Amino acid sequence: MRHPTPGASLHLTQHINSIVINAGDGTHEHPTQAILDMTSLQEKFGYLKGLKVGIIGDISHSRVALSNIHGLKTMGAEVTLCGPSTLIPPFAEDLGVSVNYNVDEVIEWADALNVLRIQRERMGGGLLPSVREYRNLFGITTERLSMHKKEIVIMHPGPMNRGVEIDSSVADSDQAIILDQVLNGVASRMAILYLLLGGKQEEGNS
Amino acid sequence: MKTTKLKKQVVLKGGMILDPINETLKKGDVLIENGRMKSIGEVTPSKSADVIDCSGLIVTHGFCDIHVHFREPGREDKETLDSGSMAALAGGFTRVCVMPNTDPPLDSPESIRYTIDRGEECPIHIHPIGAITKSQDGKELTEMGAMLSEGAVAFSDDGLPVTDTGMMRNALEYATMFDVPIINHAEDLCLKKDGVMHEGKISTQLGLPASPGITESNMVHRDLELTELTGARLHVPHVSSAKSADYIRQMKKSNNKITAEVTPHHLFFTDEDLITYNTDLKVAPPIRTQADQKALIKGVKDGTFDCIATDHAPHTIEEKEGTFDLAPFGMIGLESCFGAVNRVLVKENKLNIIRLIQMLSVNPRKIMGFETDLFTNGNPAELTIFDPNKKWTFKKSDIYSRSHNSPYIGEALIGRIRATIVKGHITALV
């Protein structure tokens, strides 16, 4: 079930006996996205424990971020959040992650970056002044990456705003595993549907 | 629950009499004759008298709740003055003040008169609080003078803060002529935005839009300063944050025109209880952290808060069973009030029971200018009888409100109302 309201899937489980798979509930969580992201990282690196992952962008309004944080922390990875301070929840550090507003420092530190979509409706209001300002401070551009000697793995949950939070030249480069994420998305969700809905699963909700 | 007319002579026999004015708690009998207080002490009942055994129970002043929403007129599907009265009786309340955010709001002398007339027909005493501004839109003052003549006891745009500081000043200035309390729901709406709960670790985990404690305390501070400026009487409702309590405590030292209330739910619950997205815990101002809860309990103990008020706010099951963002703010609270505050304050935090009863009876009456000396011979009997030690689990069947939006269902409470006497009748809870 995908729903615009945080808590909607949990709410449904309290009223029906079926298994409910949360396919994203508002600004709360997106567990299957976290599973496919972690699958993709596991394939790429061969391990998650100790892996350093930076999550870049609008954390406050992202269900991908929260599920990634819970999943990665559970698997022993380290997580740093990076984005405009107006788009990082004030109590983010209580989730066991670091916060750093300097994207270059995060790139230096991280093994992989999960770049989140910046929605255009956030621009020009009280949260973000402009696309230009965002790109200058947080955009994952070829120029920015070329300033760092290391090669870093780039992820994005899609859909991408090419030219806003990420350049096409980065998204389509060899260091991006975005298409692996898409492929793993299909496989992960097939597996989740099979295990929870189709097989000899014991009773229970998820 | 059963309501019967008081016999000519009624003797409440063998209970502990708690006098919140003289601060005494001692064994004794109460004689009620023709619905009026006759004597307190040792009473030898006449043959025809109705003798009610009160051994093991406390007999005291009827409780008074100065902050309830009875939804009449306009949302009688949620509550009426009659059904709200039954909820009050079940909670030991003999007198309530109803907030004006009805549909239409109580913003005219005529609507105040309507509520007074309807209240006459109800089994408890009902006093309307008038709106500060017409249509509660914060723009034009209501006819406070005429509304007071018709029976309004205070003014509030409750539910809606008076956001315009100039208008709030005017309201306070104007009210000084009548020496009535102005009650402002303090939440800075610019800071609150679409916040539905307290901003903290829990809201971050739940992914819900939230507002921090200063959303309230900023406006409380503004109102306190305006009270200094105008010399008006200010009553701060449903205080939820530690900082608001600090500001009130500080300002009360030099200004005796300030009073404040705290709700049972801000004392009983913390934001961690919202972890299951229980919409019955969605209230405004929101339930905050354990640190805030502790600060509120401290505020009760040191006298920062004058009274307990429930902010009884009924909503339909259809509205409350929706998702968290769409559910309206508010919970009912009359029936569960005593068992909740007695547990938290008296049993868990060692507050003297006399202090608690003062906060439920004499103090709220003082704020609203009601008769407080209920034990005086000749006054109409307005009493509450309760078992201070009864442990019980609050159930849906304990609710008499027309709505059932209570997060106390399933909670263990201590202390239970046994009977409420008011308007010549006794209502006994079985």
Side-chain angles (χ1 to χ4, degrees):
Chain A
M1 174 170 115
R2 177 164 290 186
H3 196 281
T5 300
S9 337
L10 178 68
H11 182 62
L12 189 61
T13 63
Q14 290 157 356
H15 295 278
I16 62 171
N17 289 321
S18 308
I19 286 168
V20 178
I21 298 168
N22 183 0
D25 58 334
T27 52
H28 179 221
E29 288 216 45
H30 194 354
T32 64
Q33 179 72 42
I35 287 169
L36 77 89
D37 286 345
M38 289 191 293
T39 306
S40 305
L41 286 169
Q42 174 75 29
E43 272 181 2
K44 181 74 183 178
F45 291 94
Y47 64 95
L48 290 174
K49 193 173 167 64
L51 193 70
K52 292 173 177 155
V53 182
I55 305 178
I56 317 293
D58 179 0
I59 311 296
S60 292
H61 299 92
S62 172
R63 52 186 173 227
V64 176
L66 194 56
S67 284
N68 261 267
I69 290 166
H70 289 323
L72 289 166
K73 294 292 297 176
T74 303
M75 300 309 289
E78 291 177 50
V79 178
T80 294
L81 306 179
C82 179
S85 47
T86 45
L87 293 177
I88 293 189
F91 289 80
E93 277 155 342
D94 286 347
L95 300 168
V97 300
S98 306
V99 175
N100 188 337
Y101 303 125
N102 184 322
V103 75
D104 289 302
E105 286 178 17
V106 175
I107 291 170
E108 252 339 286
W109 168 84
D111 301 311
L113 292 187
N114 200 344
V115 185
L116 304 179
R117 183 161 68 117
I118 285 287
Q119 286 171 312
R120 283 189 182 268
E121 59 260 34
R122 310 263 180 251
M123 299 290 178
L127 297 171
L128 276 180
S130 66
V131 173
R132 181 169 70 177
E133 175 93 342
Y134 183 84
R135 278 180 64 78
N136 284 343
L137 293 173
F138 302 102
I140 304 302
T141 60
T142 307
E143 295 76 37
R144 174 162 268 138
L145 291 181
S146 68
M147 295 190 310
H148 298 269
K149 289 205 178 76
K150 64 192 286 196
E151 181 156 305
I152 192 165
V153 169
I154 302 292
M155 307 165 77
H156 194 298
M160 286 183 278
N161 283 322
R162 290 167 182 261
V164 182
E165 72 269 5
I166 191 166
D167 276 359
S168 285
S169 52
V170 175
D172 301 333
S173 70
D174 288 343
Q175 67 192 106
I177 58 167
I178 295 168
L179 291 178
D180 298 336
Q181 288 176 274
V182 175
L183 186 64
N184 283 328
V186 177
S188 305
R189 283 155 183 155
M190 283 171 69
I192 290 163
L193 286 169
Y194 176 79
L195 289 170
L196 292 181
L197 303 181
K200 293 169 186 162
Q201 169 76 10
E202 297 292 314
E203 274 184 35
N205 287 343
S206 174
Chain B
M1 203 163 80
K2 197 178 155 204
T3 301
T4 46
K5 197 168 186 309
L6 288 173
K7 299 245 172 65
K8 190 171 182 304
Q9 273 201 337
V10 176
V11 178
L12 309 176
K13 190 77 186 158
M16 297 292 289
I17 314 285
L18 192 157
D19 182 341
I21 292 180
N22 295 309
E23 304 190 340
T24 56
L25 178 61
K26 54 189 179 199
K27 208 168 160 86
D29 311 325
V30 176
L31 174 62
I32 302 167
E33 214 171 77
N34 299 319
R36 291 178 181 272
M37 301 298 284
K38 182 71 178 174
S39 66
I40 293 178
E42 204 165 325
V43 175
T44 313
S46 70
K47 270 187 188 167
S48 61
D50 185 12
V51 180
I52 297 169
D53 179 17
C54 290
S55 49
L57 306 179
I58 288 179
V59 180
T60 191
H61 289 195
F63 297 166
C64 173
D65 188 346
I66 62 171
H67 192 148
V68 301
H69 300 266
F70 280 1
R71 307 296 185 210
E72 184 180 337
R75 287 308 300 266
E76 289 85 350
D77 55 329
K78 298 185 181 192
E79 197 82 286
T80 63
L81 295 176
D82 303 282
S83 64
S85 296
M86 297 316 283
L89 287 170
F93 293 92
T94 56
R95 196 173 283 269
V96 300
C97 299
V98 291
M99 280 293 176
N101 60 337
T102 47
D103 183 16
L106 307 183
D107 63 354
S108 67
E110 293 76 15
S111 52
I112 294 294
R113 172 48 52 191
Y114 168 83
T115 307
I116 293 282
D117 289 346
R118 279 284 293 113
E120 298 287 325
E121 302 163 4
C122 293
I124 62 166
H125 297 286
I126 295 177
H127 303 274
I129 292 171
I132 294 173
T133 62
K134 289 175 190 163
S135 307
Q136 295 179 281
D137 66 2
K139 294 202 173 75
E140 274 181 81
L141 288 178
T142 54
E143 294 171 309
M144 290 188 188
M147 291 162 80
L148 287 166
S149 304
E150 294 298 338
V153 291
F155 294 95
S156 175
D157 277 354
D158 190 64
L160 300 172
V162 179
T163 53
D164 182 323
T165 307
M167 175 53 77
M168 186 62 183
R169 178 195 178 165
N170 290 349
L172 288 163
E173 295 275 15
Y174 198 72
T176 55
M177 292 192 293
F178 314 110
D179 200 32
V180 288
I182 294 288
I183 306 168
N184 183 36
H185 178 126
E187 278 189 295
D188 177 343
L189 297 182
C190 295
L191 192 52
K192 182 179 180 176
K193 288 207 171 79
D194 53 355
V196 293
M197 68 175 292
H198 175 70
E199 180 179 284
K201 185 182 173 186
I202 305 298
S203 67
T204 306
Q205 281 177 10
L206 294 176
L208 287 169
S211 61
I214 64 163
T215 309
E216 175 186 77
S217 59
N218 264 1
M219 194 175 272
V220 166
H221 190 264
R222 178 201 76 169
D223 293 345
L224 292 168
E225 292 283 5
L226 287 172
T227 305
E228 282 284 286
L229 182 71
T230 57
R233 287 181 59 196
L234 176 76
H235 177 70
V236 186
H238 44 48
V239 176
S240 68
S241 87
K243 215 165 194 178
S244 302
D246 285 343
Y247 289 149
I248 293 164
R249 179 181 298 112
Q250 192 57 35
M251 205 63 112
K252 275 180 107 173
K253 284 179 187 164
S254 58
N255 187 333
N256 61 7
K257 301 222 162 189
I258 297 161
T259 54
E261 78 193 25
V262 63
T263 71
H265 50 270
H266 289 111
L267 294 166
F268 194 91
F269 296 102
T270 68
D271 62 346
E272 293 187 23
D273 294 308
L274 275 80
I275 200 75
T276 56
Y277 294 94
N278 182 354
T279 56
D280 288 336
L281 287 164
K282 182 181 172 185
V283 289
I287 288 164
R288 303 194 192 273
T289 64
Q290 199 173 34
D292 291 292
Q293 181 193 35
K294 280 194 175 142
L296 297 179
I297 292 168
K298 177 171 171 267
V300 168
K301 296 187 94 168
D302 70 14
T304 300
F305 299 118
D306 299 87
C307 69
I308 309 271
T310 65
D311 194 7
H312 179 86
H315 291 295
T316 64
I317 195 160
E318 290 80 7
E319 287 175 321
K320 275 292 195 181
E321 268 199 347
T323 49
F324 202 90
D325 57 336
L326 296 177
F329 292 99
M331 68 167 78
I332 58 167
L334 285 164
E335 299 95 327
S336 51
C337 173
F338 181 71
V341 291
N342 184 53
R343 179 185 143 182
V344 172
L345 297 173
V346 178
K347 302 298 177 187
E348 291 172 359
N349 286 283
K350 309 283 173 239
L351 182 78
N352 188 321
I353 182 85
I354 295 175
R355 284 285 318 284
L356 175 63
I357 299 306
Q358 287 174 329
M359 294 184 77
L360 286 164
S361 60
V362 57
N363 294 1
R365 281 186 173 86
K366 267 189 199 157
I367 292 168
M368 291 299 173
F370 302 149
E371 171 69 67
T372 55
D373 209 358
L374 302 187
F375 282 169
T376 297
N377 292 342
N379 277 350
E382 211 183 313
L383 302 171
T384 296
I385 303 167
F386 63 86
D387 178 343
N389 301 315
K390 176 72 182 174
K391 292 185 178 172
W392 58 302
T393 301
F394 191 74
K395 296 188 299 293
K396 203 173 162 184
S397 56
D398 295 312
I399 293 173
Y400 293 86
S401 167
R402 199 169 261 199
S403 298
H404 294 103
N405 51 311
S406 170
Y408 291 99
I409 294 169
E411 292 289 343
L413 306 182
I414 306 177
R416 189 153 200 193
I417 304 302
R418 289 301 179 199
T420 309
I421 296 173
V422 61
K423 285 191 171 178
H425 288 74
I426 179 165
T427 301
L429 280 103
V430 184

